[in-house]
PDB file of all heavy atoms in Angstrom:
ATOM      1  N   ILE A1277      -8.162  27.988 -14.164  1.00 81.00           N
ATOM      2  CA  ILE A1277      -7.720  27.821 -15.559  1.00 81.00           C
ATOM      3  C   ILE A1277      -6.239  27.465 -15.583  1.00 81.00           C
ATOM      4  O   ILE A1277      -5.805  26.609 -16.355  1.00 81.00           O
ATOM      5  CB  ILE A1277      -8.006  29.115 -16.371  1.00 81.00           C
ATOM      6  CG1 ILE A1277      -9.518  29.250 -16.561  1.00 81.00           C
ATOM      7  CG2 ILE A1277      -7.303  29.092 -17.721  1.00 81.00           C
ATOM      8  CD1 ILE A1277      -9.968  30.605 -17.046  1.00 81.00           C
ATOM      9  N   LEU A1278      -5.462  28.099 -14.692  1.00 77.00           N
ATOM     10  CA  LEU A1278      -4.024  27.803 -14.661  1.00 77.00           C
ATOM     11  C   LEU A1278      -3.754  26.368 -14.203  1.00 77.00           C
ATOM     12  O   LEU A1278      -2.905  25.680 -14.774  1.00 77.00           O
ATOM     13  CB  LEU A1278      -3.305  28.794 -13.752  1.00 77.00           C
ATOM     14  CG  LEU A1278      -2.902  30.080 -14.459  1.00 77.00           C
ATOM     15  CD1 LEU A1278      -2.521  31.149 -13.465  1.00 77.00           C
ATOM     16  CD2 LEU A1278      -1.728  29.826 -15.405  1.00 77.00           C
ATOM     17  N   ILE A1279      -4.479  25.923 -13.183  1.00 77.00           N
ATOM     18  CA  ILE A1279      -4.295  24.531 -12.728  1.00 77.00           C
ATOM     19  C   ILE A1279      -4.700  23.579 -13.861  1.00 77.00           C
ATOM     20  O   ILE A1279      -4.001  22.615 -14.177  1.00 77.00           O
ATOM     21  CB  ILE A1279      -5.110  24.240 -11.447  1.00 77.00           C
ATOM     22  CG1 ILE A1279      -4.500  25.002 -10.268  1.00 77.00           C
ATOM     23  CG2 ILE A1279      -5.147  22.732 -11.152  1.00 77.00           C
ATOM     24  CD1 ILE A1279      -5.165  24.762  -8.936  1.00 77.00           C
ATOM     25  N   TYR A1280      -5.819  23.892 -14.502  1.00 81.00           N
ATOM     26  CA  TYR A1280      -6.313  23.092 -15.624  1.00 81.00           C
ATOM     27  C   TYR A1280      -5.237  23.009 -16.715  1.00 81.00           C
ATOM     28  O   TYR A1280      -4.908  21.929 -17.202  1.00 81.00           O
ATOM     29  CB  TYR A1280      -7.586  23.763 -16.143  1.00 81.00           C
ATOM     30  CG  TYR A1280      -8.198  23.151 -17.373  1.00 81.00           C
ATOM     31  CD1 TYR A1280      -9.198  22.191 -17.263  1.00 81.00           C
ATOM     32  CD2 TYR A1280      -7.801  23.542 -18.644  1.00 81.00           C
ATOM     33  CE1 TYR A1280      -9.771  21.637 -18.389  1.00 81.00           C
ATOM     34  CE2 TYR A1280      -8.375  22.996 -19.773  1.00 81.00           C
ATOM     35  CZ  TYR A1280      -9.359  22.046 -19.640  1.00 81.00           C
ATOM     36  OH  TYR A1280      -9.923  21.503 -20.762  1.00 81.00           O
ATOM     37  N   ASN A1281      -4.671  24.173 -17.060  1.00 79.00           N
ATOM     38  CA  ASN A1281      -3.642  24.207 -18.109  1.00 79.00           C
ATOM     39  C   ASN A1281      -2.396  23.434 -17.691  1.00 79.00           C
ATOM     40  O   ASN A1281      -1.754  22.780 -18.514  1.00 79.00           O
ATOM     41  CB  ASN A1281      -3.253  25.651 -18.451  1.00 79.00           C
ATOM     42  CG  ASN A1281      -4.320  26.315 -19.293  1.00 79.00           C
ATOM     43  OD1 ASN A1281      -5.151  25.640 -19.901  1.00 79.00           O
ATOM     44  ND2 ASN A1281      -4.336  27.626 -19.326  1.00 79.00           N
ATOM     45  N   THR A1282      -2.046  23.555 -16.402  1.00 75.00           N
ATOM     46  CA  THR A1282      -0.869  22.824 -15.902  1.00 75.00           C
ATOM     47  C   THR A1282      -1.058  21.330 -16.105  1.00 75.00           C
ATOM     48  O   THR A1282      -0.148  20.626 -16.559  1.00 75.00           O
ATOM     49  CB  THR A1282      -0.659  23.100 -14.398  1.00 75.00           C
ATOM     50  OG1 THR A1282      -0.772  24.488 -14.186  1.00 75.00           O
ATOM     51  CG2 THR A1282       0.683  22.617 -13.915  1.00 75.00           C
ATOM     52  N   ILE A1283      -2.245  20.857 -15.766  1.00 77.00           N
ATOM     53  CA  ILE A1283      -2.503  19.421 -15.892  1.00 77.00           C
ATOM     54  C   ILE A1283      -2.490  19.016 -17.378  1.00 77.00           C
ATOM     55  O   ILE A1283      -1.939  17.981 -17.744  1.00 77.00           O
ATOM     56  CB  ILE A1283      -3.861  19.044 -15.247  1.00 77.00           C
ATOM     57  CG1 ILE A1283      -3.891  19.445 -13.762  1.00 77.00           C
ATOM     58  CG2 ILE A1283      -4.156  17.550 -15.394  1.00 77.00           C
ATOM     59  CD1 ILE A1283      -2.904  18.770 -12.866  1.00 77.00           C
ATOM     60  N   ARG A1284      -3.052  19.886 -18.219  1.00 78.00           N
ATOM     61  CA  ARG A1284      -3.059  19.577 -19.659  1.00 78.00           C
ATOM     62  C   ARG A1284      -1.619  19.509 -20.187  1.00 78.00           C
ATOM     63  O   ARG A1284      -1.282  18.620 -20.955  1.00 78.00           O
ATOM     64  CB  ARG A1284      -3.832  20.640 -20.459  1.00 78.00           C
ATOM     65  CG  ARG A1284      -5.274  20.804 -20.061  1.00 78.00           C
ATOM     66  CD  ARG A1284      -6.145  19.672 -20.451  1.00 78.00           C
ATOM     67  NE  ARG A1284      -6.353  19.549 -21.882  1.00 78.00           N
ATOM     68  CZ  ARG A1284      -7.053  18.569 -22.449  1.00 78.00           C
ATOM     69  NH1 ARG A1284      -7.571  17.625 -21.698  1.00 78.00           N
ATOM     70  NH2 ARG A1284      -7.217  18.517 -23.741  1.00 78.00           N
ATOM     71  N   LEU A1285      -0.798  20.470 -19.740  1.00 76.00           N
ATOM     72  CA  LEU A1285       0.612  20.472 -20.171  1.00 76.00           C
ATOM     73  C   LEU A1285       1.320  19.223 -19.666  1.00 76.00           C
ATOM     74  O   LEU A1285       2.116  18.609 -20.378  1.00 76.00           O
ATOM     75  CB  LEU A1285       1.330  21.712 -19.642  1.00 76.00           C
ATOM     76  CG  LEU A1285       1.096  22.993 -20.439  1.00 76.00           C
ATOM     77  CD1 LEU A1285       1.717  24.179 -19.713  1.00 76.00           C
ATOM     78  CD2 LEU A1285       1.715  22.883 -21.829  1.00 76.00           C
ATOM     79  N   THR A1286       1.010  18.851 -18.426  1.00 74.00           N
ATOM     80  CA  THR A1286       1.602  17.637 -17.856  1.00 74.00           C
ATOM     81  C   THR A1286       1.239  16.429 -18.710  1.00 74.00           C
ATOM     82  O   THR A1286       2.077  15.566 -18.979  1.00 74.00           O
ATOM     83  CB  THR A1286       1.077  17.418 -16.421  1.00 74.00           C
ATOM     84  OG1 THR A1286       1.450  18.549 -15.653  1.00 74.00           O
ATOM     85  CG2 THR A1286       1.640  16.160 -15.803  1.00 74.00           C
ATOM     86  N   MET A1287      -0.027  16.419 -19.145  1.00 77.00           N
ATOM     87  CA  MET A1287      -0.469  15.272 -19.944  1.00 77.00           C
ATOM     88  C   MET A1287       0.282  15.202 -21.273  1.00 77.00           C
ATOM     89  O   MET A1287       0.590  14.119 -21.755  1.00 77.00           O
ATOM     90  CB  MET A1287      -1.981  15.351 -20.171  1.00 77.00           C
ATOM     91  CG  MET A1287      -2.746  15.019 -18.915  1.00 77.00           C
ATOM     92  SD  MET A1287      -4.484  15.423 -19.012  1.00 77.00           S
ATOM     93  CE  MET A1287      -5.064  14.162 -20.096  1.00 77.00           C
ATOM     94  N   VAL A1288       0.580  16.381 -21.825  1.00 78.00           N
ATOM     95  CA  VAL A1288       1.349  16.406 -23.076  1.00 78.00           C
ATOM     96  C   VAL A1288       2.783  15.950 -22.793  1.00 78.00           C
ATOM     97  O   VAL A1288       3.332  15.095 -23.488  1.00 78.00           O
ATOM     98  CB  VAL A1288       1.333  17.823 -23.698  1.00 78.00           C
ATOM     99  CG1 VAL A1288       2.271  17.896 -24.889  1.00 78.00           C
ATOM    100  CG2 VAL A1288      -0.082  18.189 -24.124  1.00 78.00           C
ATOM    101  N   ALA A1289       3.366  16.515 -21.703  1.00 74.00           N
ATOM    102  CA  ALA A1289       4.755  16.188 -21.362  1.00 74.00           C
ATOM    103  C   ALA A1289       4.911  14.708 -21.009  1.00 74.00           C
ATOM    104  O   ALA A1289       5.961  14.114 -21.242  1.00 74.00           O
ATOM    105  CB  ALA A1289       5.217  17.058 -20.204  1.00 74.00           C
ATOM    106  N   ARG A1290       3.868  14.122 -20.433  1.00 77.00           N
ATOM    107  CA  ARG A1290       3.963  12.733 -19.971  1.00 77.00           C
ATOM    108  C   ARG A1290       3.241  11.755 -20.890  1.00 77.00           C
ATOM    109  O   ARG A1290       2.895  10.642 -20.476  1.00 77.00           O
ATOM    110  CB  ARG A1290       3.394  12.626 -18.557  1.00 77.00           C
ATOM    111  CG  ARG A1290       4.180  13.426 -17.541  1.00 77.00           C
ATOM    112  CD  ARG A1290       3.527  13.384 -16.196  1.00 77.00           C
ATOM    113  NE  ARG A1290       3.360  12.022 -15.720  1.00 77.00           N
ATOM    114  CZ  ARG A1290       4.316  11.310 -15.165  1.00 77.00           C
ATOM    115  NH1 ARG A1290       5.497  11.816 -15.011  1.00 77.00           N
ATOM    116  NH2 ARG A1290       4.078  10.075 -14.757  1.00 77.00           N
ATOM    117  N   LYS A1291       2.999  12.204 -22.105  1.00 82.00           N
ATOM    118  CA  LYS A1291       2.244  11.381 -23.055  1.00 82.00           C
ATOM    119  C   LYS A1291       2.880   9.994 -23.214  1.00 82.00           C
ATOM    120  O   LYS A1291       2.196   8.977 -23.222  1.00 82.00           O
ATOM    121  CB  LYS A1291       2.208  12.113 -24.402  1.00 82.00           C
ATOM    122  CG  LYS A1291       1.053  11.737 -25.273  1.00 82.00           C
ATOM    123  CD  LYS A1291       1.026  12.637 -26.467  1.00 82.00           C
ATOM    124  CE  LYS A1291       0.007  12.117 -27.479  1.00 82.00           C
ATOM    125  NZ  LYS A1291       0.002  12.880 -28.703  1.00 82.00           N
ATOM    126  N   LYS A1292       4.207   9.995 -23.305  1.00 85.00           N
ATOM    127  CA  LYS A1292       4.915   8.743 -23.535  1.00 85.00           C
ATOM    128  C   LYS A1292       4.756   7.787 -22.339  1.00 85.00           C
ATOM    129  O   LYS A1292       4.447   6.612 -22.508  1.00 85.00           O
ATOM    130  CB  LYS A1292       6.391   9.048 -23.782  1.00 85.00           C
ATOM    131  CG  LYS A1292       7.089   8.015 -24.611  1.00 85.00           C
ATOM    132  CD  LYS A1292       8.415   8.550 -25.111  1.00 85.00           C
ATOM    133  CE  LYS A1292       9.039   7.584 -26.078  1.00 85.00           C
ATOM    134  NZ  LYS A1292      10.298   8.097 -26.624  1.00 85.00           N
ATOM    135  N   GLU A1293       4.973   8.338 -21.139  1.00 85.00           N
ATOM    136  CA  GLU A1293       4.830   7.512 -19.934  1.00 85.00           C
ATOM    137  C   GLU A1293       3.413   6.940 -19.836  1.00 85.00           C
ATOM    138  O   GLU A1293       3.220   5.766 -19.527  1.00 85.00           O
ATOM    139  CB  GLU A1293       5.102   8.326 -18.663  1.00 85.00           C
ATOM    140  CG  GLU A1293       6.556   8.516 -18.333  1.00 85.00           C
ATOM    141  CD  GLU A1293       7.026   9.898 -18.703  1.00 85.00           C
ATOM    142  OE1 GLU A1293       6.573  10.406 -19.756  1.00 85.00           O
ATOM    143  OE2 GLU A1293       7.857  10.462 -17.968  1.00 85.00           O
ATOM    144  N   MET A1294       2.428   7.830 -20.112  1.00 87.00           N
ATOM    145  CA  MET A1294       1.031   7.406 -19.996  1.00 87.00           C
ATOM    146  C   MET A1294       0.720   6.303 -21.010  1.00 87.00           C
ATOM    147  O   MET A1294       0.014   5.353 -20.705  1.00 87.00           O
ATOM    148  CB  MET A1294       0.101   8.607 -20.168  1.00 87.00           C
ATOM    149  CG  MET A1294       0.167   9.560 -18.973  1.00 87.00           C
ATOM    150  SD  MET A1294      -0.547  11.156 -19.306  1.00 87.00           S
ATOM    151  CE  MET A1294      -2.255  10.781 -19.143  1.00 87.00           C
ATOM    152  N   ARG A1295       1.274   6.447 -22.222  1.00 89.00           N
ATOM    153  CA  ARG A1295       1.041   5.443 -23.266  1.00 89.00           C
ATOM    154  C   ARG A1295       1.634   4.097 -22.842  1.00 89.00           C
ATOM    155  O   ARG A1295       0.998   3.052 -22.976  1.00 89.00           O
ATOM    156  CB  ARG A1295       1.674   5.931 -24.564  1.00 89.00           C
ATOM    157  CG  ARG A1295       1.557   4.931 -25.684  1.00 89.00           C
ATOM    158  CD  ARG A1295       2.113   5.503 -26.969  1.00 89.00           C
ATOM    159  NE  ARG A1295       2.354   4.438 -27.926  1.00 89.00           N
ATOM    160  CZ  ARG A1295       3.531   4.194 -28.479  1.00 89.00           C
ATOM    161  NH1 ARG A1295       4.576   4.930 -28.178  1.00 89.00           N
ATOM    162  NH2 ARG A1295       3.662   3.219 -29.339  1.00 89.00           N
ATOM    163  N   ILE A1296       2.852   4.164 -22.278  1.00 90.00           N
ATOM    164  CA  ILE A1296       3.502   2.923 -21.851  1.00 90.00           C
ATOM    165  C   ILE A1296       2.708   2.267 -20.719  1.00 90.00           C
ATOM    166  O   ILE A1296       2.454   1.069 -20.731  1.00 90.00           O
ATOM    167  CB  ILE A1296       4.961   3.188 -21.432  1.00 90.00           C
ATOM    168  CG1 ILE A1296       5.766   3.518 -22.685  1.00 90.00           C
ATOM    169  CG2 ILE A1296       5.567   2.013 -20.707  1.00 90.00           C
ATOM    170  CD1 ILE A1296       7.056   4.217 -22.422  1.00 90.00           C
TER     171      ILE A1296
END
Side-chain angles (χ1 to χ4, degrees):
Chain A
I1277 290 167
L1278 274 166
I1279 290 183
Y1280 175 93
N1281 284 341
T1282 313
I1283 302 297
R1284 301 289 291 177
L1285 280 173
T1286 300
M1287 287 168 73
V1288 173
R1290 296 175 57 80
K1291 204 173 170 184
K1292 206 165 187 178
E1293 279 103 322
M1294 289 165 79
R1295 177 176 164 237
I1296 290 161

